[in-house]
Amino acid sequence: MPDISRRSKSLRGAVSHHERELAELRADRELAVEYLKAAMASLDNPDDRAAGLLALRTVAEAHGGLAAVAADAGISREALYRALSPKGNPTLKTLLAVLKTVGMRLSVELEPQAHG
């Protein structure tokens, strides 16, 4: 039988993956931008929008938490939680307000052309 007391002692100082992710996104703005850009590509697929919404939620958590971002963006906390949930469907106004609050903005890029 494993020694549970030894394992629990070693986990006391452990940091969850999510907490580590938040710390890295908070510390490195360029990483946060690239993280969000990669995840936002999923917004093009109506069947897989969750990744982009959850990435924006994670970036918002890293920049003060959802309650603070909601307040700064002029959105109710409950509305922001719903909008940035896996099945959320934020309005353009909400999306722009959240991005502005975390110090980012929406931009447009050319779609890579398939060669063939």
Side-chain angles (χ1 to χ4, degrees), residues 26-37:
R26 191 177 304 118
D28 186 343
R29 304 278 297 156
E30 292 299 319
L31 175 64
V33 168
E34 292 305 316
Y35 171 85
L36 199 50
K37 283 174 80 172

Side-chain angles (χ1 to χ4, degrees), residues 15 24 37-38 42 59 64-65 68 85 92 111:
V15 176
E24 289 179 11
K37 283 174 80 172
S42 74
V59 169
S85 72
L92 182 58
E111 182 74 31

Side-chain angles (χ1 to χ4, degrees), residues 21-102:
E21 183 178 41
L22 294 177
E24 289 179 11
L25 293 171
R26 191 177 304 118
D28 186 343
R29 304 278 297 156
E30 292 299 319
L31 175 64
V33 168
E34 292 305 316
Y35 171 85
L36 199 50
K37 283 174 80 172
M40 290 301 229
S42 74
L43 294 178
D44 290 335
N45 180 350
D47 297 325
D48 187 29
R49 291 197 170 132
L53 295 174
L54 293 176
L56 184 53
R57 181 182 184 131
T58 301
V59 169
E61 287 177 26
H63 291 87
L66 289 179
V69 168
D72 289 348
I75 304 165
S76 77
R77 184 177 53 83
E78 295 80 11
L80 187 58
Y81 274 93
R82 270 193 313 277
L84 300 183
S85 72
K87 294 187 184 221
N89 190 13
T91 64
L92 182 58
K93 180 180 177 182
T94 297
L95 183 61
L96 294 173
V98 171
L99 287 171
K100 183 176 182 177
T101 299
V102 299

